[in-house]
Amino acid sequence: MNTQPLTAAELEVKLDESLDPVLSSRRTATALAKALAEFERAQQDFVLRWVDIIAKTNAEMAYQFAARAPEAFRLMSAPTIEAWIIHAMDVYDKQGLYPGCTAFGQVQSFAAEAAETDRSVALDEIHHVLELFIQGLAGRPLKIEAAAESGTDTATLFLPERLSGFAARQDNFRLYKIMAAYLWAQTWYGTFRVPDGEPPLAEWLASFDAPDTAARRFHALETARLNACLARELPGLYRDMREIQRLASDVLYPASWDAAIARLQEPGATVSDTRAWLTRLHGTEVPHCFCYQGLLLAERAQQVMQERIAREKELFRQALSQVGDEAADNRAGTETATTSNSRRYRVETISDPDHPGQFIFALSIDGQPIQPPADVRGLMGSIVQDLGHIPEDYLVAAGSGGYRQAAEEKRPEDVWKGTYHEEGAFLYNEWDHRRNHYRKHWCVLRELDVHPDNDPFVARTLRKYHGVLPALRKTFEALRGENKLLKKQMNGDDIDFDALVEARADMQSGMELSERLFTKLHKFERDIAVMFMVDMSGSTKGWINDAERESLVLLCEALEILGDRYAIYGFSGMTRKRCELYRIKRFDEIYSDEVRRRIAGIRPQDYTRMGVTIRHLTKLLNDVEARTKLLITLSDGKPDDYDGYRGEYGIEDTRMSLIEAKRAGIHPFCITIDEAARDYLPHMYGAVNWVLVDEVRKLPLKVSDIYRRLTL
């Protein structure tokens, strides 16, 4: 391979080929070539390759890139330059030529932002890691949300969207972790807990002459107490806290605070001690805050705590009533029944020897010890976390139950909001193989309902296939949770006579008698969720549409026998701005008359933009808990759309979306009737993850048979 740099003349020839549409006698590639001649061959090849790629979209954009490339190489690494190119092309795609050229011109500002981005950490990147970290600590579950500055209202930990204060990315990540732990410590060690006979923290701080200064002084004192708690309970984390603070600059307390700091660092110190020392140190200097300290959200914490305390008091009293009723039912016939209100409840809080700082709750009813359910123990823990104990007025049952129903009520599913052009629309990236990058937020997808049709299509289909339905049902019944006889077990339901004969023969020959002499029935439980993605493009008009609908009818009949969870969505649309997904059956819907009418209402629509549909259905499948997840596509052709989404571009985007699905633990499979599928489906789905049904009339029975084989 030739590593000699190209001369200016050689570079000019190559640039002329790509930039010819925007060159003239006055505007030549000579200056561009001279500037690039100073660079190494690898850098020259990099520029020439990208000039060629960009010119296929717009020659003027390619010229602007080539003009700025020498400056870019002095400021950025090759991967960062690629990000700059993709950013400028995204601007061009969405806003036009002039803004795109301007984006190429802003090379210095992009380089500065990229340098900051390289060392910074975004909350979105590590949100899940921090959630797992906080879940591993004690106390009630806490949410994590982005905010301008860190703080907590005792229900949510608010953290900055991005941290970039340290030169090393790892240090910025450590700061996120320390911030989260510090805010957790405020909720666990009782920063906002109200001491007996005193007002809530926000009201108490407001009583000082200078409330803001008093709040900062209290925050500094309380941080000393919390740091000591973390040093005792999480020494490894505390070492990180000290190291990060040293990088940010150490915090020095005034000499007048020495006695206060010594007391607050003792193991028995509480927030009452912090309040007491604040009163004594009124008017003294306030030290600089720690880099992880954030804001003291006293008013928000007071509001959230008051609402939670009232809610949990009622829930706990209802829980006592239900637990008492269940205990009475268990003792029925051995004692006289008592009403909820006449029972005597007692809760004893015992320190957990295996988990320092946590508690074991001993509940007794009329002197009889009761093991509270896990959800009730969690409720008791939350009450103690807020109040420090369970007050006497909580130990009065609230009539006849109701707690379980309240606790188990289904909350509405959190709707994935994504980014919207308008309400109900989702934006998805699309893979551009020519740039080797995604077009960000390129496709606009909307979920729509299939218009139900009262035509008795399902009934006609069942009559049409009545001869094969019994065999189909019998085949699927054989797959349903069948029992399997396991032999040579250590224990079981019956004697394994074959194993017994074999063991006796071994014993007579001087060998040790085997203990595996039993048989046991093992029930095989299916745990499958399948998503059917049905092509509703205009090319399915006629027999193909009828065959697809008949396939869905037979599948639904079979799957109802099998008990697998399944959903059905159709897809079509026209251009990237109108991608449409049609709801036929959701996972949480039963196979009802309404679903049957929707199947009857499936009609051919427009085009076949597959990548965006696969990405959205992957998201829906990710929300379902199942051991095996399948995404099965029924289609009559390759990806195609009105705005140029066809050929290699459409195939490569669809392939990338399928790779994303596989990374998410989903198994894609395609059933097609396209005779040309051999030319592109192996590349998209893999050699064994597709099948061609060569006759449309065979499709309904073939689909059911293929599903049976896929899920054996």
PDB file of all heavy atoms in Angstrom, residues 460-487:
ATOM      1  N   ARG A 460     -65.911 -16.591   7.759  1.00  0.00           N
ATOM      2  CA  ARG A 460     -65.718 -17.224   6.445  1.00  0.00           C
ATOM      3  C   ARG A 460     -64.405 -17.999   6.412  1.00  0.00           C
ATOM      4  O   ARG A 460     -64.325 -19.104   5.867  1.00  0.00           O
ATOM      5  CB  ARG A 460     -65.703 -16.170   5.325  1.00  0.00           C
ATOM      6  CG  ARG A 460     -67.060 -15.594   4.993  1.00  0.00           C
ATOM      7  CD  ARG A 460     -67.068 -15.003   3.579  1.00  0.00           C
ATOM      8  NE  ARG A 460     -65.990 -14.056   3.363  1.00  0.00           N
ATOM      9  CZ  ARG A 460     -66.063 -12.768   3.635  1.00  0.00           C
ATOM     10  NH1 ARG A 460     -67.179 -12.268   4.152  1.00  0.00           N
ATOM     11  NH2 ARG A 460     -65.038 -11.974   3.392  1.00  0.00           N
ATOM     12  N   THR A 461     -63.368 -17.411   7.010  1.00  0.00           N
ATOM     13  CA  THR A 461     -62.058 -18.081   7.033  1.00  0.00           C
ATOM     14  C   THR A 461     -62.130 -19.385   7.825  1.00  0.00           C
ATOM     15  O   THR A 461     -61.581 -20.414   7.403  1.00  0.00           O
ATOM     16  CB  THR A 461     -61.002 -17.150   7.641  1.00  0.00           C
ATOM     17  OG1 THR A 461     -60.917 -15.956   6.867  1.00  0.00           O
ATOM     18  CG2 THR A 461     -59.641 -17.815   7.686  1.00  0.00           C
ATOM     19  N   LEU A 462     -62.806 -19.353   8.961  1.00  0.00           N
ATOM     20  CA  LEU A 462     -62.920 -20.568   9.775  1.00  0.00           C
ATOM     21  C   LEU A 462     -63.707 -21.649   9.042  1.00  0.00           C
ATOM     22  O   LEU A 462     -63.392 -22.844   9.146  1.00  0.00           O
ATOM     23  CB  LEU A 462     -63.574 -20.237  11.121  1.00  0.00           C
ATOM     24  CG  LEU A 462     -62.757 -19.317  12.043  1.00  0.00           C
ATOM     25  CD1 LEU A 462     -63.531 -19.011  13.308  1.00  0.00           C
ATOM     26  CD2 LEU A 462     -61.409 -19.943  12.390  1.00  0.00           C
ATOM     27  N   ARG A 463     -64.731 -21.235   8.274  1.00  0.00           N
ATOM     28  CA  ARG A 463     -65.479 -22.221   7.470  1.00  0.00           C
ATOM     29  C   ARG A 463     -64.595 -22.772   6.349  1.00  0.00           C
ATOM     30  O   ARG A 463     -64.610 -23.976   6.065  1.00  0.00           O
ATOM     31  CB  ARG A 463     -66.728 -21.582   6.882  1.00  0.00           C
ATOM     32  CG  ARG A 463     -67.840 -21.340   7.890  1.00  0.00           C
ATOM     33  CD  ARG A 463     -69.167 -21.098   7.195  1.00  0.00           C
ATOM     34  NE  ARG A 463     -69.127 -19.919   6.335  1.00  0.00           N
ATOM     35  CZ  ARG A 463     -69.397 -18.684   6.750  1.00  0.00           C
ATOM     36  NH1 ARG A 463     -69.742 -18.480   8.022  1.00  0.00           N
ATOM     37  NH2 ARG A 463     -69.349 -17.663   5.919  1.00  0.00           N
ATOM     38  N   LYS A 464     -63.808 -21.877   5.730  1.00  0.00           N
ATOM     39  CA  LYS A 464     -62.945 -22.285   4.615  1.00  0.00           C
ATOM     40  C   LYS A 464     -61.931 -23.334   5.053  1.00  0.00           C
ATOM     41  O   LYS A 464     -61.619 -24.271   4.304  1.00  0.00           O
ATOM     42  CB  LYS A 464     -62.243 -21.049   4.055  1.00  0.00           C
ATOM     43  CG  LYS A 464     -61.277 -21.336   2.917  1.00  0.00           C
ATOM     44  CD  LYS A 464     -60.648 -20.038   2.398  1.00  0.00           C
ATOM     45  CE  LYS A 464     -59.641 -20.311   1.306  1.00  0.00           C
ATOM     46  NZ  LYS A 464     -59.035 -19.052   0.778  1.00  0.00           N
ATOM     47  N   TYR A 465     -61.403 -23.174   6.275  1.00  0.00           N
ATOM     48  CA  TYR A 465     -60.349 -24.078   6.751  1.00  0.00           C
ATOM     49  C   TYR A 465     -60.869 -25.061   7.807  1.00  0.00           C
ATOM     50  O   TYR A 465     -60.072 -25.594   8.577  1.00  0.00           O
ATOM     51  CB  TYR A 465     -59.193 -23.262   7.333  1.00  0.00           C
ATOM     52  CG  TYR A 465     -58.442 -22.468   6.281  1.00  0.00           C
ATOM     53  CD1 TYR A 465     -58.748 -21.133   6.049  1.00  0.00           C
ATOM     54  CD2 TYR A 465     -57.445 -23.058   5.510  1.00  0.00           C
ATOM     55  CE1 TYR A 465     -58.075 -20.391   5.087  1.00  0.00           C
ATOM     56  CE2 TYR A 465     -56.758 -22.333   4.551  1.00  0.00           C
ATOM     57  CZ  TYR A 465     -57.084 -21.000   4.332  1.00  0.00           C
ATOM     58  OH  TYR A 465     -56.416 -20.276   3.371  1.00  0.00           O
ATOM     59  N   HIS A 466     -62.173 -25.312   7.804  1.00  0.00           N
ATOM     60  CA  HIS A 466     -62.723 -26.169   8.870  1.00  0.00           C
ATOM     61  C   HIS A 466     -62.160 -27.581   8.807  1.00  0.00           C
ATOM     62  O   HIS A 466     -62.068 -28.277   9.819  1.00  0.00           O
ATOM     63  CB  HIS A 466     -64.253 -26.200   8.786  1.00  0.00           C
ATOM     64  CG  HIS A 466     -64.777 -27.049   7.651  1.00  0.00           C
ATOM     65  ND1 HIS A 466     -64.847 -26.573   6.348  1.00  0.00           N
ATOM     66  CD2 HIS A 466     -65.226 -28.338   7.621  1.00  0.00           C
ATOM     67  CE1 HIS A 466     -65.333 -27.537   5.573  1.00  0.00           C
ATOM     68  NE2 HIS A 466     -65.570 -28.606   6.314  1.00  0.00           N
ATOM     69  N   GLY A 467     -61.720 -27.998   7.626  1.00  0.00           N
ATOM     70  CA  GLY A 467     -61.188 -29.352   7.499  1.00  0.00           C
ATOM     71  C   GLY A 467     -59.825 -29.518   8.148  1.00  0.00           C
ATOM     72  O   GLY A 467     -59.476 -30.624   8.586  1.00  0.00           O
ATOM     73  N   VAL A 468     -59.029 -28.433   8.213  1.00  0.00           N
ATOM     74  CA  VAL A 468     -57.681 -28.551   8.773  1.00  0.00           C
ATOM     75  C   VAL A 468     -57.596 -27.986  10.191  1.00  0.00           C
ATOM     76  O   VAL A 468     -56.591 -28.203  10.879  1.00  0.00           O
ATOM     77  CB  VAL A 468     -56.646 -27.833   7.875  1.00  0.00           C
ATOM     78  CG1 VAL A 468     -56.603 -28.468   6.507  1.00  0.00           C
ATOM     79  CG2 VAL A 468     -56.954 -26.348   7.773  1.00  0.00           C
ATOM     80  N   LEU A 469     -58.620 -27.279  10.626  1.00  0.00           N
ATOM     81  CA  LEU A 469     -58.559 -26.663  11.951  1.00  0.00           C
ATOM     82  C   LEU A 469     -58.385 -27.676  13.077  1.00  0.00           C
ATOM     83  O   LEU A 469     -57.593 -27.448  13.997  1.00  0.00           O
ATOM     84  CB  LEU A 469     -59.799 -25.803  12.195  1.00  0.00           C
ATOM     85  CG  LEU A 469     -59.714 -24.363  11.687  1.00  0.00           C
ATOM     86  CD1 LEU A 469     -61.058 -23.660  11.860  1.00  0.00           C
ATOM     87  CD2 LEU A 469     -58.635 -23.597  12.433  1.00  0.00           C
ATOM     88  N   PRO A 470     -59.111 -28.808  13.072  1.00  0.00           N
ATOM     89  CA  PRO A 470     -58.921 -29.771  14.181  1.00  0.00           C
ATOM     90  C   PRO A 470     -57.467 -30.250  14.291  1.00  0.00           C
ATOM     91  O   PRO A 470     -56.923 -30.328  15.386  1.00  0.00           O
ATOM     92  CB  PRO A 470     -59.870 -30.912  13.816  1.00  0.00           C
ATOM     93  CG  PRO A 470     -60.938 -30.262  12.995  1.00  0.00           C
ATOM     94  CD  PRO A 470     -60.227 -29.214  12.187  1.00  0.00           C
ATOM     95  N   ALA A 471     -56.843 -30.562  13.134  1.00  0.00           N
ATOM     96  CA  ALA A 471     -55.448 -31.020  13.165  1.00  0.00           C
ATOM     97  C   ALA A 471     -54.523 -29.903  13.635  1.00  0.00           C
ATOM     98  O   ALA A 471     -53.570 -30.133  14.394  1.00  0.00           O
ATOM     99  CB  ALA A 471     -55.030 -31.505  11.775  1.00  0.00           C
ATOM    100  N   LEU A 472     -54.811 -28.672  13.202  1.00  0.00           N
ATOM    101  CA  LEU A 472     -54.006 -27.531  13.622  1.00  0.00           C
ATOM    102  C   LEU A 472     -54.094 -27.332  15.128  1.00  0.00           C
ATOM    103  O   LEU A 472     -53.075 -27.145  15.812  1.00  0.00           O
ATOM    104  CB  LEU A 472     -54.491 -26.278  12.887  1.00  0.00           C
ATOM    105  CG  LEU A 472     -53.722 -24.985  13.154  1.00  0.00           C
ATOM    106  CD1 LEU A 472     -52.314 -25.078  12.613  1.00  0.00           C
ATOM    107  CD2 LEU A 472     -54.459 -23.800  12.535  1.00  0.00           C
ATOM    108  N   ARG A 473     -55.313 -27.408  15.656  1.00  0.00           N
ATOM    109  CA  ARG A 473     -55.494 -27.232  17.097  1.00  0.00           C
ATOM    110  C   ARG A 473     -54.814 -28.350  17.877  1.00  0.00           C
ATOM    111  O   ARG A 473     -54.196 -28.125  18.925  1.00  0.00           O
ATOM    112  CB  ARG A 473     -56.982 -27.178  17.417  1.00  0.00           C
ATOM    113  CG  ARG A 473     -57.641 -25.874  16.972  1.00  0.00           C
ATOM    114  CD  ARG A 473     -59.125 -25.903  17.181  1.00  0.00           C
ATOM    115  NE  ARG A 473     -59.731 -24.618  16.854  1.00  0.00           N
ATOM    116  CZ  ARG A 473     -60.919 -24.464  16.320  1.00  0.00           C
ATOM    117  NH1 ARG A 473     -61.670 -25.526  16.044  1.00  0.00           N
ATOM    118  NH2 ARG A 473     -61.393 -23.264  16.063  1.00  0.00           N
ATOM    119  N   LYS A 474     -54.912 -29.574  17.344  1.00  0.00           N
ATOM    120  CA  LYS A 474     -54.299 -30.714  18.029  1.00  0.00           C
ATOM    121  C   LYS A 474     -52.779 -30.558  18.075  1.00  0.00           C
ATOM    122  O   LYS A 474     -52.135 -30.850  19.093  1.00  0.00           O
ATOM    123  CB  LYS A 474     -54.677 -32.006  17.313  1.00  0.00           C
ATOM    124  CG  LYS A 474     -54.197 -33.266  18.027  1.00  0.00           C
ATOM    125  CD  LYS A 474     -54.696 -34.513  17.325  1.00  0.00           C
ATOM    126  CE  LYS A 474     -54.224 -35.777  18.050  1.00  0.00           C
ATOM    127  NZ  LYS A 474     -54.688 -37.003  17.360  1.00  0.00           N
ATOM    128  N   THR A 475     -52.200 -30.053  16.979  1.00  0.00           N
ATOM    129  CA  THR A 475     -50.756 -29.853  16.921  1.00  0.00           C
ATOM    130  C   THR A 475     -50.304 -28.849  17.968  1.00  0.00           C
ATOM    131  O   THR A 475     -49.309 -29.045  18.668  1.00  0.00           O
ATOM    132  CB  THR A 475     -50.347 -29.360  15.523  1.00  0.00           C
ATOM    133  OG1 THR A 475     -50.728 -30.339  14.565  1.00  0.00           O
ATOM    134  CG2 THR A 475     -48.843 -29.140  15.451  1.00  0.00           C
ATOM    135  N   PHE A 476     -51.051 -27.760  18.099  1.00  0.00           N
ATOM    136  CA  PHE A 476     -50.658 -26.724  19.050  1.00  0.00           C
ATOM    137  C   PHE A 476     -50.954 -27.140  20.490  1.00  0.00           C
ATOM    138  O   PHE A 476     -50.246 -26.733  21.408  1.00  0.00           O
ATOM    139  CB  PHE A 476     -51.364 -25.412  18.702  1.00  0.00           C
ATOM    140  CG  PHE A 476     -50.650 -24.628  17.638  1.00  0.00           C
ATOM    141  CD1 PHE A 476     -50.789 -24.953  16.302  1.00  0.00           C
ATOM    142  CD2 PHE A 476     -49.808 -23.589  17.979  1.00  0.00           C
ATOM    143  CE1 PHE A 476     -50.130 -24.248  15.320  1.00  0.00           C
ATOM    144  CE2 PHE A 476     -49.137 -22.868  17.006  1.00  0.00           C
ATOM    145  CZ  PHE A 476     -49.292 -23.201  15.678  1.00  0.00           C
ATOM    146  N   GLU A 477     -51.989 -27.945  20.685  1.00  0.00           N
ATOM    147  CA  GLU A 477     -52.260 -28.445  22.040  1.00  0.00           C
ATOM    148  C   GLU A 477     -51.102 -29.294  22.540  1.00  0.00           C
ATOM    149  O   GLU A 477     -50.787 -29.315  23.731  1.00  0.00           O
ATOM    150  CB  GLU A 477     -53.557 -29.258  22.045  1.00  0.00           C
ATOM    151  CG  GLU A 477     -54.807 -28.385  22.046  1.00  0.00           C
ATOM    152  CD  GLU A 477     -56.079 -29.210  21.888  1.00  0.00           C
ATOM    153  OE1 GLU A 477     -55.966 -30.430  21.609  1.00  0.00           O
ATOM    154  OE2 GLU A 477     -57.167 -28.635  22.013  1.00  0.00           O
ATOM    155  N   ALA A 478     -50.448 -30.004  21.612  1.00  0.00           N
ATOM    156  CA  ALA A 478     -49.329 -30.866  21.997  1.00  0.00           C
ATOM    157  C   ALA A 478     -48.134 -30.052  22.490  1.00  0.00           C
ATOM    158  O   ALA A 478     -47.275 -30.563  23.212  1.00  0.00           O
ATOM    159  CB  ALA A 478     -48.906 -31.727  20.811  1.00  0.00           C
ATOM    160  N   LEU A 479     -48.059 -28.776  22.099  1.00  0.00           N
ATOM    161  CA  LEU A 479     -46.950 -27.922  22.533  1.00  0.00           C
ATOM    162  C   LEU A 479     -47.208 -27.278  23.878  1.00  0.00           C
ATOM    163  O   LEU A 479     -46.305 -26.692  24.475  1.00  0.00           O
ATOM    164  CB  LEU A 479     -46.726 -26.801  21.503  1.00  0.00           C
ATOM    165  CG  LEU A 479     -46.301 -27.219  20.097  1.00  0.00           C
ATOM    166  CD1 LEU A 479     -46.262 -25.983  19.211  1.00  0.00           C
ATOM    167  CD2 LEU A 479     -44.944 -27.883  20.131  1.00  0.00           C
ATOM    168  N   ARG A 480     -48.435 -27.318  24.374  1.00  0.00           N
ATOM    169  CA  ARG A 480     -48.828 -26.508  25.520  1.00  0.00           C
ATOM    170  C   ARG A 480     -48.425 -27.167  26.833  1.00  0.00           C
ATOM    171  O   ARG A 480     -49.011 -28.145  27.255  1.00  0.00           O
ATOM    172  CB  ARG A 480     -50.346 -26.291  25.492  1.00  0.00           C
ATOM    173  CG  ARG A 480     -50.841 -25.385  26.592  1.00  0.00           C
ATOM    174  CD  ARG A 480     -52.348 -25.209  26.485  1.00  0.00           C
ATOM    175  NE  ARG A 480     -53.013 -26.508  26.543  1.00  0.00           N
ATOM    176  CZ  ARG A 480     -54.284 -26.706  26.206  1.00  0.00           C
ATOM    177  NH1 ARG A 480     -55.010 -25.694  25.781  1.00  0.00           N
ATOM    178  NH2 ARG A 480     -54.822 -27.909  26.289  1.00  0.00           N
ATOM    179  N   GLY A 481     -47.435 -26.600  27.469  1.00  0.00           N
ATOM    180  CA  GLY A 481     -47.073 -26.966  28.837  1.00  0.00           C
ATOM    181  C   GLY A 481     -47.137 -28.446  29.138  1.00  0.00           C
ATOM    182  O   GLY A 481     -47.641 -28.850  30.170  1.00  0.00           O
ATOM    183  N   GLU A 482     -46.687 -29.300  28.207  1.00  0.00           N
ATOM    184  CA  GLU A 482     -46.814 -30.734  28.433  1.00  0.00           C
ATOM    185  C   GLU A 482     -45.865 -31.211  29.522  1.00  0.00           C
ATOM    186  O   GLU A 482     -44.806 -30.632  29.749  1.00  0.00           O
ATOM    187  CB  GLU A 482     -46.538 -31.469  27.123  1.00  0.00           C
ATOM    188  CG  GLU A 482     -45.176 -31.149  26.547  1.00  0.00           C
ATOM    189  CD  GLU A 482     -44.995 -31.713  25.151  1.00  0.00           C
ATOM    190  OE1 GLU A 482     -45.994 -32.093  24.528  1.00  0.00           O
ATOM    191  OE2 GLU A 482     -43.841 -31.788  24.714  1.00  0.00           O
ATOM    192  N   ASN A 483     -46.272 -32.288  30.204  1.00  0.00           N
ATOM    193  CA  ASN A 483     -45.440 -32.853  31.270  1.00  0.00           C
ATOM    194  C   ASN A 483     -44.373 -33.770  30.674  1.00  0.00           C
ATOM    195  O   ASN A 483     -44.630 -34.504  29.710  1.00  0.00           O
ATOM    196  CB  ASN A 483     -46.299 -33.653  32.246  1.00  0.00           C
ATOM    197  CG  ASN A 483     -47.222 -32.750  33.028  1.00  0.00           C
ATOM    198  OD1 ASN A 483     -46.928 -31.578  33.217  1.00  0.00           O
ATOM    199  ND2 ASN A 483     -48.346 -33.281  33.473  1.00  0.00           N
ATOM    200  N   LYS A 484     -43.201 -33.710  31.251  1.00  0.00           N
ATOM    201  CA  LYS A 484     -42.100 -34.561  30.804  1.00  0.00           C
ATOM    202  C   LYS A 484     -41.642 -35.426  31.964  1.00  0.00           C
ATOM    203  O   LYS A 484     -41.447 -34.927  33.073  1.00  0.00           O
ATOM    204  CB  LYS A 484     -40.946 -33.691  30.311  1.00  0.00           C
ATOM    205  CG  LYS A 484     -39.771 -34.490  29.776  1.00  0.00           C
ATOM    206  CD  LYS A 484     -38.689 -33.564  29.250  1.00  0.00           C
ATOM    207  CE  LYS A 484     -37.518 -34.370  28.698  1.00  0.00           C
ATOM    208  NZ  LYS A 484     -36.446 -33.470  28.202  1.00  0.00           N
ATOM    209  N   LEU A 485     -41.505 -36.723  31.718  1.00  0.00           N
ATOM    210  CA  LEU A 485     -41.093 -37.657  32.764  1.00  0.00           C
ATOM    211  C   LEU A 485     -39.574 -37.657  32.863  1.00  0.00           C
ATOM    212  O   LEU A 485     -38.870 -38.026  31.920  1.00  0.00           O
ATOM    213  CB  LEU A 485     -41.595 -39.064  32.456  1.00  0.00           C
ATOM    214  CG  LEU A 485     -41.323 -40.114  33.543  1.00  0.00           C
ATOM    215  CD1 LEU A 485     -42.107 -39.774  34.809  1.00  0.00           C
ATOM    216  CD2 LEU A 485     -41.672 -41.504  33.047  1.00  0.00           C
ATOM    217  N   LEU A 486     -39.064 -37.220  34.003  1.00  0.00           N
ATOM    218  CA  LEU A 486     -37.622 -37.205  34.247  1.00  0.00           C
ATOM    219  C   LEU A 486     -37.235 -38.459  35.005  1.00  0.00           C
ATOM    220  O   LEU A 486     -37.820 -38.777  36.045  1.00  0.00           O
ATOM    221  CB  LEU A 486     -37.239 -35.969  35.058  1.00  0.00           C
ATOM    222  CG  LEU A 486     -37.591 -34.615  34.441  1.00  0.00           C
ATOM    223  CD1 LEU A 486     -37.171 -33.488  35.377  1.00  0.00           C
ATOM    224  CD2 LEU A 486     -36.938 -34.448  33.086  1.00  0.00           C
ATOM    225  N   LYS A 487     -36.271 -39.187  34.500  1.00  0.00           N
ATOM    226  CA  LYS A 487     -35.837 -40.435  35.133  1.00  0.00           C
ATOM    227  C   LYS A 487     -34.551 -40.222  35.915  1.00  0.00           C
ATOM    228  O   LYS A 487     -33.873 -39.213  35.785  1.00  0.00           O
ATOM    229  CB  LYS A 487     -35.632 -41.509  34.070  1.00  0.00           C
ATOM    230  CG  LYS A 487     -36.935 -41.948  33.381  1.00  0.00           C
ATOM    231  CD  LYS A 487     -36.707 -43.184  32.541  1.00  0.00           C
ATOM    232  CE  LYS A 487     -38.028 -43.751  32.040  1.00  0.00           C
ATOM    233  NZ  LYS A 487     -37.840 -45.051  31.337  1.00  0.00           N
TER     234      LYS A 487
END
